[in-house]
Amino acid sequence: MAKRLKVANPARCIGCYSCMMACARTWYDTISLKNSRINIQTRGGIETPYAAIVCHACVDPPCMRACPVGALTKRKGGGVNFNKEICKGCGNCIEACIVGAIHLDAENKAVICKHCGVCTKFCPHDVLEMIEVEDSGELKVTDTSPVEDTGPESPTASHKELYGKKEAEGEE
Amino acid sequence: MTTEQYAIPGLKNVLYIDLTSQSYHIEERPDLYEKYLGGIGIATNLMLEEYKEGTGPLDPEMPIIFSTGPLSGVYPTCTKTVALFRSPLNGELGESYAGGHLAMSMRYSGYETIVIKGSSRYPVYVTVHDDKVTFRDASSIWNLSSAIDVGQVLRRVEPGAGRRSIVRIGPAGEKGIAYASVNVDTYRHFGRLGLGTVFGAKKLKAILVAGNREIKSPDHNAYKKMYGKLYETIVKTGLMEKYHNLGTSENILVLNELKGLPTRNLQATSIESVENISGENFAEKYLIRRVSCAGCPIGCVHVAMLKRSFSKAHEYETLNISYDFELIYALGSNLGVTDPEAVLELIDACEKTGVDIISMGVVLAWATEMQQRGKISTEEALGLKLSWGDKAAYLRAIELVVKAPNEFYAALGKGVDYASKKYGGEEFAIQLGGLEIPGYHTGLGNILGLTVGFRHSHLDNAGYSADQKAFNQPISDEKIVDYIIDEEDRRSVLNCMVACLFARNVYTYENMVQALKCIGIEKTEEELKELGKDIFRKKYELKKKFGFRFENFSIPKRFFETISTTGKLEEERVRKAIEMYREKRGV
């Protein structure tokens, strides 16, 4: 079953950057924001909501078509697989991606999301989710029942297991 | 292991910026980092090196030192930067912490510590883009009425969005208000003790730090595991739930109930209609979102929306204002303001002008009582009549303090200690060590903590927390003294990291040792504890140089008149506890 990353609840982002650090930590073995494949951005300071810039897992990815050496191939579930070895660092993919989800690393290789989902494990506010899609990348229709209530009392309320209820003892 | 051996860049550099000559250089100080790790440890030592006897807080040679720690930008909730300076408010140790994006930006820029000296002839702002430092003319943003707008201009003209931090002053810093703050990004501040004033004296309008370098751990797998462990502890246990949920303003109702919430210039410790300014009410009626400092999954910054109508045709303006416990105390209970919207408006006014809100609140509370007692005439206040709960008068007063149109308002801009020495009313000027008090009147631990604390802040040793323990189960005064000493040393170590103190129970000594080990720094628990004691000695050495003497310390009568959480305090008891502390500490 194919899956892809989705920015499910952008307005819930608190700007903690845990997802970006998780991505760089997992795929670049570094402690940085630089080589994260997803990008949390501010738009005029944090008076206004954050923007999460994430690969949209295109069904027909323009970055792939723009790559002159064939380093990008279609991924099952949308988006691309990236062959780092043959990437020449021309940056055509960056131009082609109007979402702004691609950049180059220090070795001039494209940094591009592979929809592994590690970032979702480090999102404390349900901003990022992995969703099931068709192998082609097309969205799947799975739910036909009324939309679930996500209010604080509902069984599907946000981060139920997070932020435990027990108070730290004797601390202000 | 020495700092040379692990692959973490920046852990040996100190960036020196000279505003007079508009130049900079980098010095390598592995000796310092090896022993003191970062943060307050590094800053204290550098200040001792830099300080020349007799240099005043606002003299050009007086440095500002910013420092982050080995865990900054590396582990969750290690999000703070310490600023060390000499305070223009009380002439003493100026030490302040801010979150936001600054620690991460500094760390990823490769400069863990920045020392700023000299002063410019005209307004400047300094940018640090990775390793490049530039000085730019800030004349066009000097005199802007709001520190918030300064951020907006710099965001437009400078690159590095999302990876940068912008710290700047507002009108209060430019005009030399002794308790001017520095706004960090949005909603975060170097609030206390007047760092903004020092910026203003140096004609330094803003600093922008943008960093996008990588850090490597020598043992990435160990690091990954440790990160995961800390992250889980933070988000999946109850250790930090309070900060995530209602935030610190949860304490309004608690302290009010316990008779520990300073009210109307500490004439009382609880206030009627407190439920209106409770954390619960702010959350239910005004809270619209929470945000985080970069690298913290908690999101403790509580942002309220204030919707104001400005015409009969259903037209509205909305303001997004962050609030927390201290602000609600300072501009709420202590001014007799129990209208939550009024509190938000007052916060917003201070945020724009760039003053420390606790100090401003206490100054206005004192001025109100002075007027009511007929010790300040209406003429001296230029016709303005201050009275408890009167938002409109207080909004104008904030403006007048910053503009300082006459001697009286100028005195208010120098702090409550100065103003009360000039006009009288020292017995109800609620300050300790020249610093206006935070929102606790809980008893001995609090007063003792504020008196002996490095910078007379509740964050030095959480004396109020000792009182809380004493309230639950009576403990001896000696135990309270011991608690304060232990807490001071622990916090000194945390402030080397520089972890957010809200996460102090996550970063236990054991976890700190492990977290450091996973990035290649070997320290034992004993070594860390010794580090805390070493920093204590160094800071007291510095305090002494800046003129602090226990012999000159006086405690205003008001603290002994108003009932506290643990009952009425006797002066003699406090004196004895101070003596006990001095004896144990050897100071």
Side-chain angles (χ1 to χ4, degrees):
Chain A
M1 135 192 97
K3 282 193 167 184
R4 58 160 282 206
L5 177 65
K6 181 177 165 57
V7 186
N9 299 298
R12 293 184 190 175
C13 180
I14 56 173
C16 71
Y17 297 88
S18 302
C19 55
M20 293 183 68
M21 289 189 70
C23 183
R25 195 164 63 234
T26 306
W27 294 108
Y28 266 82
D29 287 0
T30 67
I31 306 166
S32 81
L33 300 177
K34 187 176 185 164
N35 288 321
S36 166
R37 288 144 193 203
I38 89 168
N39 185 3
I40 302 299
Q41 275 283 6
T42 47
R43 294 265 184 263
I46 60 173
E47 291 102 336
T48 52
Y50 289 90
I53 299 163
V54 171
C55 169
H56 286 188
C58 303
V59 173
D60 180 17
C63 56
M64 179 182 81
R65 268 181 273 126
C67 180
V69 295
L72 299 171
T73 49
K74 226 174 196 177
R75 173 188 169 274
K76 194 170 137 189
V80 289
N81 294 313
F82 173 53
N83 185 340
K84 195 172 180 175
E85 300 306 311
I86 58 175
C87 171
K88 295 268 182 274
C90 68
N92 287 5
C93 55
I94 299 174
E95 288 281 305
C97 179
I98 60 167
V99 174
I102 309 174
H103 68 272
L104 295 180
D105 67 13
E107 286 153 20
N108 256 353
K109 302 281 185 183
V111 178
I112 193 160
C113 179
K114 51 167 70 180
H115 297 266
C116 72
V118 68
C119 51
T120 63
K121 297 193 177 74
F122 286 92
C123 177
H125 264 215
D126 311 316
V127 177
L128 304 170
E129 257 177 38
M130 290 300 282
I131 57 164
E132 237 179 88
V133 287
E134 304 289 353
D135 285 354
S136 65
E138 296 282 356
L139 295 177
K140 242 182 182 169
V141 178
T142 47
D143 276 333
T144 52
S145 53
V147 173
E148 284 167 338
D149 177 18
T150 58
E153 304 304 330
S154 80
T156 54
S158 173
H159 53 261
K160 268 206 151 14
E161 283 137 43
L162 294 189
Y163 307 111
K165 291 280 179 275
K166 214 177 132 270
E167 276 276 340
E169 205 180 312
E171 294 285 350
E172 286 285 320
Chain B
M1 183 181 277
T2 69
T3 39
E4 306 289 358
Q5 283 167 280
Y6 60 89
I8 296 187
L11 257 182
K12 56 178 194 264
N13 291 340
V14 179
L15 170 65
Y16 285 86
I17 292 174
D18 185 348
L19 296 170
T20 309
S21 59
Q22 300 206 345
S23 62
Y24 69 98
H25 71 279
I26 296 148
E27 280 181 30
E28 295 194 353
R29 294 301 301 271
D31 57 318
L32 271 189
Y33 284 108
E34 204 172 309
K35 184 155 185 215
Y36 291 96
L37 296 170
I40 191 62
I42 301 287
T44 303
N45 279 282
L46 287 174
M47 184 60 90
L48 281 166
E49 285 177 14
E50 292 290 334
Y51 176 64
K52 290 179 202 76
E53 212 80 23
T55 314
L58 302 181
D59 290 343
E61 307 80 61
M62 204 58 217
I64 299 168
I65 303 169
F66 292 108
S67 190
T68 60
L71 309 188
S72 306
V74 174
Y75 288 111
T77 70
C78 292
T79 53
K80 296 276 185 174
T81 304
V82 57
L84 210 64
F85 52 103
R86 187 173 181 189
S87 168
L89 180 62
N90 61 6
E92 253 211 68
L93 186 70
E95 179 186 355
S96 185
Y97 293 79
H101 215 295
L102 184 58
M104 193 179 263
S105 295
M106 275 177 67
R107 194 66 202 282
Y108 294 167
S109 78
Y111 300 121
E112 194 163 72
T113 303
I114 302 175
V115 179
I116 299 169
K117 294 196 285 191
S119 78
S120 179
R121 277 175 295 115
Y122 56 90
V124 287
Y125 75 89
V126 177
T127 67
V128 179
H129 286 289
D130 288 318
D131 53 349
K132 204 161 160 266
V133 180
T134 36
F135 299 83
R136 297 192 66 178
D137 194 324
S139 302
S140 56
I141 49 173
W142 197 260
N143 283 327
L144 271 181
S145 63
S146 158
I148 299 172
D149 296 348
V150 176
Q152 279 167 1
V153 172
L154 293 184
R155 278 181 203 117
R156 240 185 355 256
V157 297
E158 292 289 337
R163 310 289 168 269
R164 67 191 172 188
S165 181
I166 301 175
V167 306
R168 71 278 184 185
I169 56 169
E174 295 174 7
K175 299 225 160 30
I177 304 308
Y179 42 92
S181 62
V182 173
N183 290 34
V184 177
D185 304 319
T186 313
Y187 308 131
R188 301 290 86 193
H189 316 84
F190 289 108
R192 308 235 64 194
L193 290 158
L195 180 62
T197 324
V198 184
F199 266 54
K202 292 187 180 305
K203 286 267 192 298
L204 176 60
K205 182 67 182 174
I207 305 169
L208 182 146
V209 182
N212 208 9
R213 296 189 189 186
E214 293 169 66
I215 297 175
K216 292 266 189 194
S217 163
D219 183 352
H220 194 70
N221 279 335
Y223 162 69
K224 267 204 308 208
K225 233 174 116 187
M226 191 64 200
Y227 185 99
K229 179 184 164 186
L230 291 167
Y231 183 90
E232 298 260 307
T233 309
I234 290 161
V235 303
K236 290 192 182 165
T237 71
L239 283 178
M240 298 188 71
E241 156 64 10
K242 167 181 150 184
Y243 303 108
H244 172 257
N245 191 346
L246 288 178
T248 55
S249 59
E250 176 189 276
N251 280 341
I252 292 285
L253 284 188
V254 177
L255 279 166
N256 189 73
E257 177 70 26
L258 297 176
K259 303 233 174 324
L261 180 68
T263 296
R264 296 190 183 87
N265 200 36
L266 193 59
Q267 296 183 78
T269 41
S270 62
I271 189 165
E272 67 294 335
S273 312
V274 69
E275 58 284 354
N276 293 336
I277 54 167
S278 65
E280 287 80 353
N281 195 46
F282 274 103
E284 272 161 35
K285 296 219 179 92
Y286 303 99
L287 180 63
I288 51 160
R289 57 194 284 254
R290 275 194 297 253
V291 288
S292 264
C293 298
C296 172
I298 288 296
C300 80
V301 184
H302 287 59
V303 182
M305 187 185 81
L306 181 64
K307 178 178 162 188
R308 285 196 300 211
S309 161
F310 63 90
S311 95
K312 282 186 180 140
H314 295 94
E315 294 197 90
Y316 302 96
E317 59 177 353
T318 56
L319 300 169
N320 291 354
I321 302 158
S322 92
Y323 65 89
D324 67 22
F325 169 76
E326 299 292 351
L327 312 190
I328 301 173
Y329 138 70
L331 299 173
S333 69
N334 205 37
L335 291 179
V337 175
T338 52
D339 169 4
E341 301 197 1
V343 172
L344 289 173
E345 278 190 69
L346 289 164
I347 293 173
D348 189 54
C350 290
E351 180 91 56
K352 284 176 174 144
T353 199
V355 286
D356 178 52
I357 289 182
I358 300 179
S359 288
M360 179 59 92
V362 168
V363 163
L364 296 180
W366 171 83
T368 307
E369 193 170 336
M370 285 294 280
Q371 266 200 343
Q372 290 187 341
R373 288 170 181 263
K375 289 184 160 191
I376 293 290
S377 67
T378 317
E379 291 82 72
E380 274 170 312
L382 300 173
L384 189 66
K385 270 185 113 156
L386 299 172
S387 63
W388 306 121
D390 186 350
K391 171 198 82 178
Y394 288 131
L395 280 173
R396 181 68 70 206
I398 291 167
E399 185 191 318
L400 290 170
V401 169
V402 175
K403 289 189 173 153
N406 70 358
E407 224 178 289
F408 171 63
Y409 285 108
L412 293 185
K414 292 191 164 76
V416 81
D417 189 32
Y418 177 94
S420 63
K421 282 187 173 127
K422 188 177 168 86
Y423 290 94
E426 282 174 86
E427 62 281 11
F428 54 84
I430 52 170
Q431 53 79 29
L432 285 166
L435 181 64
E436 292 76 13
I437 64 154
Y440 310 93
H441 188 51
T442 50
L444 177 69
N446 179 54
I447 300 290
L448 175 65
L450 295 176
T451 301
V452 302
F454 299 121
R455 56 192 149 132
H456 310 293
S457 157
H458 60 300
L459 296 171
D460 285 322
N461 48 38
Y464 58 86
S465 188
D467 290 333
Q468 193 182 21
K469 287 180 174 42
F471 178 80
N472 292 331
Q473 191 184 358
I475 51 174
S476 70
D477 289 0
E478 186 171 1
K479 279 253 161 63
I480 290 180
V481 172
D482 290 341
Y483 173 88
I484 281 174
I485 290 174
D486 280 352
E487 195 62 26
E488 276 173 352
D489 290 345
R490 169 165 83 126
R491 286 175 182 230
S492 284
V493 180
L494 285 163
N495 289 339
C496 287
M497 300 299 148
V498 183
C500 174
L501 290 178
F502 287 176
R504 61 191 175 275
N505 295 328
V506 175
Y507 287 90
T508 56
Y509 281 113
E510 196 191 333
N511 277 347
M512 280 193 276
V513 167
Q514 253 195 331
L516 287 167
K517 191 180 160 72
C518 294
I519 54 168
I521 303 173
E522 298 281 353
K523 289 273 174 194
T524 63
E525 192 167 325
E526 288 64 45
E527 284 173 319
L528 289 184
K529 284 182 172 160
E530 184 44 47
L531 178 64
K533 297 206 182 306
D534 186 356
I535 290 169
F536 173 82
R537 290 187 290 268
K538 287 263 162 75
K539 280 172 95 174
Y540 255 85
E541 184 186 336
L542 198 51
K543 272 168 76 76
K544 221 170 161 189
K545 288 190 178 189
F546 288 165
F548 175 75
R549 299 286 180 275
F550 275 107
E551 290 71 26
N552 304 338
F553 205 93
S554 69
I555 301 176
K557 279 210 177 61
R558 179 59 50 86
F559 292 112
F560 306 112
E561 290 165 354
T562 305
I563 192 144
S564 80
T565 301
T566 47
K568 223 176 212 182
L569 254 185
E570 282 146 22
E571 193 163 358
E572 191 46 33
R573 190 178 157 215
V574 177
R575 288 274 158 223
K576 276 190 183 146
I578 293 172
E579 284 315 312
M580 206 188 302
Y581 175 90
R582 291 183 62 186
E583 187 138 325
K584 281 176 190 265
R585 279 298 206 181
V587 288

